[in-house]
Amino acid sequence: MPNLLLELFSEEIPARMQARAADDLLRLVGDGLREAGLPYERGAAHSGPRRLTLHIEGLPARSAGVREERKGPRVGAPEAAIQGFLKSAGLANISEADTRADGKGEFYVAVIEKPGASAADIVARVVPEVVRRFPWPKSMRWGAGKLRWVRPLHSILCVLDGEPVEFEVDGVRSGGLTRGHRFMSAGEARPRSFAEYETVLAEARVIVSREARARRILEQAQAAAAREKLTLVEDAALLEENAGLAEWPVALAGRFDEAFLDVPPELLMTSMKAHQKCFSLRGRDGRLANRFIMVANLEAQDGGRAIIAGNERVIRARLSDAKFFWDNDRARGLDAMRPKLDAITFHEKLGTQGQRVERIRKLARELAPLVGADPELADRAARLCKADLVSETVGEFPELQGVIGRYIAEAAGEPQAVADAIAEHYKPLGAGDSVPANPVSIAVALADKLDMLSGFWAIDEKPTGSKDPYALRRAALGVIRITLDRNLRFSLNRLTDAQILRHQIAPANAADGAILDRLCALTIAHGMFGAPTRAALAELEGAALEWLKSFVDHDPAISDDLLVFFHDRLKVYMRERGARHDLIDACIAMPESCDLTLVVRRVEALGRFLETDDGANLLAGVKRAANILRIEEKKDSRSYDGEPSPALLKAPEEKALAKAIAEVSAAIRAALDEAAPDAPAAKGKGKSAKAAATPPKKAKAGAVKDAASDGARREPDFAAAMSALARLRAPVDAFFDKVTVNAEDPRLRENRLKLLAQIRAATLAVADFSKIEG
């Protein structure tokens, strides 16, 4: 079967566009051939600095013929209808049409037979159309032509089954010729197959495969590093870029002045990578060496000495610039940079970067005790965490934000925990990035992400569909990963409630600001409408109540909606790690779902329980009870929640079930008893919530006291709760085997339905079993 070889040869294609272009070429040409009736066995595309190459194997020699029957008007129809039918079917007169009969009479049928086309004709039609509409991210026109391509297109090689396929695209004619390396080859070659194409180009110093070029660069770079008794700092993105810059890559080693090693190594590495696409090297002690690996695109006659010398001169200039920026920033210090954040707008509705830092600082201080961090260190780290954004170094290399801040902080003698937090508070930056381990870093990282999420929810600018310009999904996933990886326990709702207040309320003076900070701290500790927070409000003098009106009127739907967003991200995160989606839904439905660590522990325990025979059988019994209740409650228009009457428990099985439910419920309460992060009834929008929060008396202005604590927390024992729940299996099975729920006596029926409601309530203390499949 024929094979197709296609090469589109142009001026240098930007490295970042090459891989996507190769994929697009295979997809567009392949789809075009299939749609034209030429299915193929397999195809592959390759990209390089000056060419896109496509190889398709197993094409048929011709497309299959097509026979089509097109129904026309009825015999005797008006002439206009018949003429329209003839024109659409391509017939000269009606005698060329067949007639068919159905129950209503005879009608015309045009039988259209389209013979198959040769593969060469189809290729000559498909390829030019693909070239004309190729989806380059950026393209250009040149000369007087109309074709748009990423760079001027010089030639097209198109060979089918060893023979050239001829066509023209905007003055560029196809043929059977290709050419090799710009400097190390002469003349043209005429390959008849892809294997021959690879061979003749290799002889002309061009490696067709991008993967092969990358492999060659890595091997040569590692060998050059080994000769210097150094280790290559491997960089996949830089390796991929160099593979797109050189058709015949040659790795060469150079050096720079040791004096530059006083500059932070990340700055040196970034400067060499960004400006000269060079790899860095480390010594055996792990420190950066004053060596680098560059990738040339030819084998120079002098062994590369001139290329190395030229790169060393450029590297020296670039590193001098980097050292100048670093010396200036280190001399200024972060405290001097921080005021400039007040002149940088973060978002027109969320204020400046300086205002954002103040919010982060306050939340980080409040978070510190929850994550085991020193509040003073968390405060200091948050105060400085964004200061390097206005540094000269980060202005030149934005990817070093945080990293440069850490080095400036270390140079100024800041505690190491503070310096580390400045660099680590952006983490995790992606799925492969680590989460902070230092408690101070954790506090600042969480505060940074929660402030951003709370702010955009407060102004109602949330991600929609595939659009997420502020990376809020990544921020939420960062909060989730930090929380779960570090096994942290806190209420997301309380934290976001407090931060939403800071976004919504602008205190007029320092005294009012102190009151707001205290109320936010109380909200984190006790909940928005917890008794201690209400008591604190009650002691405020009336003058302060005007600007606190938004606190009293606070709409919990904002933070509740944000919690739903967290839950959606948590579902994705847990499903990727093998958790069942129905178990996640069953546990997220519980009141404590604002504590993400608790949700995950509950999901894990529930999954283990349902894998046992007791768990699987109990689930079936619980679902049976729930189905009966749902039907009967709907029919009777009432709920059967409530205690069943012991006097109406007649059968031994229902007595045993009632006893088991009481014992199991008590055991579950004992296993799960703890001070929940949020009481379910503590957040309401109606009059009762506002009335509870309304201050009944005046006190000295600015005075806010702490009320009693919510009580000590202890870890819930989900394994014990599940073990207790397992004891319901036997009595539930026996009840359904021996007892008729819908008894003729209405009192017995009601009592037994209440017993089923008790089963529902007992399991609901562990998870919402109605959401579990099976």
Side-chain angles (χ1 to χ4, degrees), residues 581-730:
H581 69 90
D582 56 331
L583 301 192
I584 302 170
D585 288 336
C587 295
I588 283 176
M590 303 304 292
E592 304 90 344
S593 64
C594 53
D595 185 330
L596 300 184
T597 298
L598 204 63
V599 170
V600 173
R601 291 181 189 173
R602 192 185 294 267
V603 170
E604 292 170 348
L606 183 59
R608 290 192 294 269
F609 173 62
L610 293 177
E611 287 174 356
T612 66
D613 287 341
D614 284 343
N617 286 318
L618 179 61
L619 175 62
V622 170
K623 282 188 168 290
R624 183 176 178 184
N627 288 335
I628 294 171
L629 271 174
R630 184 178 64 256
I631 294 168
E632 300 306 316
E633 288 180 338
K634 181 178 180 180
K635 182 172 68 176
D636 299 342
S637 299
R638 59 162 293 187
S639 169
Y640 285 100
D641 290 334
E643 292 288 335
S645 170
L648 293 175
L649 299 173
K650 300 299 184 182
E653 290 80 11
E654 60 184 326
K655 292 179 182 179
L657 178 57
K659 180 181 178 184
I661 291 173
E663 292 173 350
V664 167
S665 297
I668 290 174
R669 284 194 299 273
L672 301 184
D673 185 29
E674 67 160 356
D678 282 321
K683 301 184 68 168
K685 294 166 57 177
K687 291 183 179 179
S688 59
K690 291 185 180 181
T694 302
K697 62 180 181 178
K698 295 183 179 181
K700 185 177 179 181
V704 180
K705 290 188 207 173
D706 282 338
S709 168
D710 276 346
R713 292 163 62 102
R714 70 178 183 83
E715 295 296 312
D717 189 343
F718 288 114
M722 300 297 171
S723 178
L725 202 58
R727 301 207 298 270
L728 279 180
R729 176 200 170 175

Side-chain angles (χ1 to χ4, degrees), residues 3-6 44 46 53-57 157 159 162 178 189-204 206-209:
N3 297 334
L4 174 65
L5 171 63
L6 175 67
H46 305 277
T53 304
L54 175 65
H55 176 222
I56 290 180
E57 296 180 337
L157 163 72
V159 175
T178 186
R190 189 180 293 274
R192 294 173 55 84
S193 67
F194 180 71
E196 189 176 337
Y197 173 79
E198 281 192 303
T199 300
V200 298
L201 282 185
E203 293 171 353
V206 172
I207 299 174
V208 174
S209 167

Side-chain angles (χ1 to χ4, degrees), residues 349-350 355 359 362 454-455 458-459 497-509 511-520 523 528 537 540 544-555 558:
K349 295 181 181 178
L350 298 176
Q355 291 171 322
R359 292 192 301 267
K362 292 171 180 178
S454 300
I459 63 174
D497 269 336
Q499 211 63 0
I500 287 169
L501 287 179
R502 290 196 170 105
H503 283 285
Q504 292 180 331
I505 299 174
N509 52 54
D512 284 354
I515 294 172
L516 175 61
D517 290 342
R518 194 74 189 114
L519 288 173
C520 288
T523 297
M528 174 68 71
L537 273 172
L540 293 173
L545 296 181
E546 285 302 317
W547 66 268
L548 280 173
K549 186 176 185 299
S550 57
F551 175 89
V552 178
D553 291 340
H554 174 75
D555 183 357
I558 299 175

Side-chain angles (χ1 to χ4, degrees), residues 24 49 105 204 226 312 372 451 529 578 595-596 726:
D24 287 338
E312 288 178 341
D451 176 76
F529 296 110
D595 185 330
L596 300 184

Side-chain angles (χ1 to χ4, degrees), residues 13 15 18-19 46-53 201 205-221 239-251 295 297:
I13 305 170
Q18 293 172 17
H46 305 277
S47 61
R50 297 200 296 163
R51 68 198 78 214
L52 296 178
T53 304
L201 282 185
R205 296 299 187 266
V206 172
I207 299 174
V208 174
S209 167
R210 187 183 190 88
E211 293 74 18
R213 294 196 303 273
R215 202 161 45 244
R216 174 186 171 101
I217 293 169
L218 183 59
E219 290 170 356
Q220 289 187 356
L239 180 64
E240 179 74 7
E241 185 173 14
N242 272 291
L245 293 173
E247 291 189 309
W248 190 259
V250 177
V295 179
N297 189 29

